[in-house]
Amino acid sequence: RPYPAYNDIKDVEYDLGRFSAVVQHVQSDPFAPPSRCYVRVPLAHAAFPPECFSPPARETALRDWLTRRFHAAAKRAGVDQRSGEGGWHGPKGGELLVDLPGQHVLDRSSVIVDRSAAAAGLPGGGAIEARFTVALPARGRSICGEWAAQIFSETLPRLVLEALLHESTDHSALMAHLCSVEDQQAARSQLAGRGLVAFVADGSVLPRATGASDRPMDAASAVPFSSPPSLRVTLPVPNAGSLTGMGLPRGVTLIVGGGFHGKSTLLEALQVGVYDKVSGDGREGVVTDRMAVKVRAEDGRAVTSVDISPFIDHLPFGKRTGAFTTADASGSTSQAASIIEALEGGASALLLDEDTSATNFMIRDARMQALVSADREPIRPFITRVRSLWSERGVSTVLVVGGSGDYFDVADTVLMLHEYSPSDATAAAKDVAARIAGGAPPESKADRGMPPTPRRVLSAPGLTAGMKTHTGRASIRFGDEPELDLGGVEQIVEHSQVRAIAEACLRLGGAARPIDEALAELEASIREGGLDVLRPGWR
């Protein structure tokens, strides 16, 4: 039979005993994106105990756990690889793919707990629903019906049995995963009340195995984190009892030290501290305010109608920057735009690394100020705004700096890394700033205040729900529009997040409204209806 015959199985719920299966979307041909499917396991049949679902942090962790189990079961069965032989006329396809999580425990739609009215009549009052794709097998453009039947009647039941039922789960390992995530969220929720922007537990392993791997460095090679005594705090958590480590105060914090001594490694741990981690990651005890944003310079990025005048204005020939637009931003204009965009989104803290910042955006030393006077320089360096960002807007800054002591004058806390071990160098830095002339050129003392961020109106009439979209590891292309490069957004940690961003853009693209209102509405919708609200009816 021709390949379109597979449409006969579309949207049919097949009862396979302890669960049911549905093919929601059938691919158009063997070379198209694979078919979308899901299974539903009634809660009574899955039989996970009530403590796995409450509080909500545990249910999020359970869904993450089940996604990992489902993926691992498919990999063990060898069905995560496409089969193909004999060229065009040989049989091909058959791979069954499940979303692959990394080291982070994220809210996912790959597995959901469905307690909707439609699922309420199932045993247990709901169902665990797992989503996956299958490349429906073919020979040329004809179906391989027996092979497809084997996938759904033999392979899939085996995967469900291994991955989605409590009886096949290591309960102690499951509870360790759930309790770890619950503790991480509990610790993060205490930061604001304790006047902290982040917390790093003693014993944390911050370095990664390699530059290309997010897995932890071997414990025998890594230096465990140990808080300076002056910054050590203890946070109560529901399962481990308490966590002790470094509390990083709100305000302006510098991370200093020699090259290769762990400054950027600490900042990288902080920037992903907005997410929970799997047990054994080494960074489970690193939690950061969820609204902290990592900002960097991005030469060549596009900027559209962003008011960068707090940092850059009066360009040559009188050009103003209240609605700055360019398809090819410089390092300084891109970093200014990224900070303003972060503030628009409600950032509580900015995380910056000297290595990925534009030098002329961060600082102008005394000699350069003497040669190029302020009235001839369009750039107001970040150092002139960092204090007022905190005092007027309540936005903290954590900055890795190794080349400019001018920032000592504006810092509240100075943390020094030496051979990967931190110490509180605040008093020493203030002493240096007071003793050494020229360490604080006039411009660094001239904090000129941080004006309010104008409310931009979101308008993207070309984006419509359901339009053809392609996502890469860190890129999105809508239809025939230019590719949107997200490579500079360092807090994106999984391809699934890129897909969700694409769907969110399509959802928000229709109506013109202030960006803050649009984002608030989107977050409220997700809290109420889960990630499925990004594309209703699309699993």
Side-chain angles (χ1 to χ4, degrees):
R1 300 180 63 186
Y3 202 82
Y6 274 132
N7 282 295
D8 292 348
I9 64 174
K10 179 182 175 182
D11 290 330
V12 178
E13 186 162 7
Y14 292 95
D15 185 349
L16 297 175
R18 301 174 73 176
F19 71 97
S20 60
V22 177
V23 178
Q24 186 196 27
H25 169 77
V26 173
Q27 63 205 85
S28 58
D29 62 61
F31 305 98
S35 303
R36 296 192 309 276
C37 312
Y38 61 93
V39 296
R40 293 165 65 83
V41 185
L43 290 175
H45 296 168
F48 287 93
E51 61 266 27
C52 293
F53 300 92
S54 182
R58 290 194 178 188
E59 182 170 307
T60 298
L62 173 64
R63 295 190 288 109
D64 174 88
W65 170 271
L66 294 175
T67 298
R68 295 173 190 276
R69 295 265 299 172
F70 201 12
H71 179 273
K75 190 173 184 65
R76 284 194 302 271
V79 295
D80 61 333
Q81 300 293 325
R82 173 176 284 261
S83 299
E85 58 185 37
W88 169 260
H89 295 290
K92 60 183 66 65
E95 76 266 29
L96 187 154
L97 299 178
V98 183
D99 192 31
L100 173 60
Q103 295 294 101
H104 309 277
V105 179
L106 308 177
D107 189 14
R108 305 180 185 279
S109 59
S110 50
V111 173
I112 68 166
V113 178
D114 184 5
R115 297 188 181 88
S116 65
L122 295 172
I128 289 173
E129 182 175 300
R131 287 90 178 261
F132 57 98
T133 62
V134 174
L136 294 174
R139 186 187 300 272
R141 292 192 181 275
S142 298
I143 68 171
C144 291
E146 292 184 0
W147 187 358
Q150 182 183 42
I151 292 172
F152 287 98
S153 63
E154 298 180 19
T155 303
L156 188 57
R158 185 166 74 251
L159 302 186
V160 170
L161 177 62
E162 292 181 15
L164 303 181
L165 305 182
H166 183 259
E167 65 188 51
S168 57
T169 296
D170 181 338
H171 184 72
S172 61
L174 168 62
M175 291 308 298
H177 180 74
L178 271 54
C179 291
S180 174
V181 171
E182 184 184 9
D183 283 354
Q184 290 173 65
Q185 293 194 16
R188 190 176 294 105
S189 70
Q190 298 174 56
L191 294 177
R194 300 288 291 267
L196 303 176
V197 69
F199 171 85
V200 184
D202 290 340
S204 295
V205 176
L206 307 185
R208 301 295 88 189
T210 69
S213 171
D214 201 32
R215 293 184 177 277
M217 179 181 286
D218 187 285
S221 304
V223 176
F225 189 88
S226 180
S227 173
S230 58
L231 296 175
R232 183 169 281 123
V233 299
T234 298
L235 302 179
V237 292
N239 299 293
S242 64
L243 296 174
T244 298
M246 181 182 72
L248 210 57
R250 299 179 69 196
V252 180
T253 296
L254 306 182
I255 302 175
V256 305
F260 312 103
H261 281 257
K263 304 187 299 298
S264 294
T265 298
L266 173 57
L267 189 73
E268 288 165 3
L270 295 178
Q271 74 188 40
V272 294
V274 298
Y275 304 124
D276 303 319
K277 312 294 186 305
V278 296
S279 299
D281 173 81
R283 300 168 297 183
E284 305 97 308
V286 182
V287 293
T288 305
D289 189 298
R290 61 180 293 269
M291 295 302 292
V293 178
K294 175 64 165 57
V295 176
R296 60 168 297 156
E298 297 179 65
D299 286 31
R301 66 154 285 190
V303 176
T304 303
S305 298
V306 179
D307 180 7
I308 63 172
S309 62
F311 296 106
I312 301 173
D313 203 3
H314 300 289
L315 297 175
F317 308 109
K319 183 178 180 180
R320 305 304 300 271
T321 58
F324 183 72
T325 298
T326 179
D328 186 18
S330 66
S332 57
T333 54
S334 67
Q335 192 160 0
S338 293
I339 289 175
I340 297 301
E341 289 166 341
L343 298 177
E344 278 186 306
S348 63
L350 302 175
L351 311 179
L352 298 94
D353 192 327
E354 181 182 70
D355 284 350
T356 56
S357 295
T359 301
N360 61 340
F361 177 78
M362 299 301 293
I363 191 71
R364 288 207 312 142
D365 66 20
R367 288 177 173 174
M368 189 59 68
Q369 291 181 54
L371 181 64
V372 182
S373 59
D375 62 337
R376 295 188 175 188
E377 175 53 75
I379 301 175
R380 300 183 183 99
F382 185 69
I383 196 170
T384 68
R385 297 295 196 192
V386 68
R387 285 303 317 168
S388 55
L389 273 169
W390 166 238
S391 61
E392 298 174 14
R393 305 286 290 273
V395 177
S396 299
T397 295
V398 180
L399 170 63
V400 169
V401 60
S404 175
D406 288 6
Y407 274 91
F408 294 170
D409 293 282
V410 296
D412 298 303
T413 304
V414 181
L415 189 70
M416 180 177 286
L417 271 293
H418 180 69
E419 295 181 344
Y420 315 108
S421 295
S423 60
D424 185 350
T426 306
K430 294 298 184 183
D431 178 65
V432 168
R435 286 190 296 105
I436 299 180
E443 196 170 67
S444 69
K445 296 180 177 179
D447 192 324
R448 308 171 188 185
M450 188 67 193
T453 302
R455 299 178 74 196
R456 282 192 300 164
V457 172
L458 175 69
S459 179
L463 299 185
T464 56
M467 74 181 299
K468 184 179 180 181
T469 304
H470 173 76
T471 60
R473 172 62 182 82
S475 64
I476 303 172
R477 185 185 296 276
F478 297 106
D480 296 326
E481 295 294 319
E483 184 175 83
L484 177 63
D485 181 4
L486 301 179
V489 187
E490 296 180 14
Q491 287 169 294
I492 293 177
V493 294
E494 293 188 11
H495 179 223
S496 298
Q497 291 175 296
V498 178
R499 295 200 303 267
I501 291 170
E503 296 296 347
C505 289
L506 293 177
R507 178 184 171 94
L508 296 175
R513 51 192 158 163
I515 288 177
D516 56 346
E517 289 183 10
L519 294 177
E521 181 274 330
L522 179 66
E523 286 201 5
S525 297
I526 292 174
R527 280 195 300 271
E528 181 177 349
L531 291 168
D532 284 350
V533 302
L534 295 178
R535 197 166 187 179
W538 189 272
R539 288 177 167 89

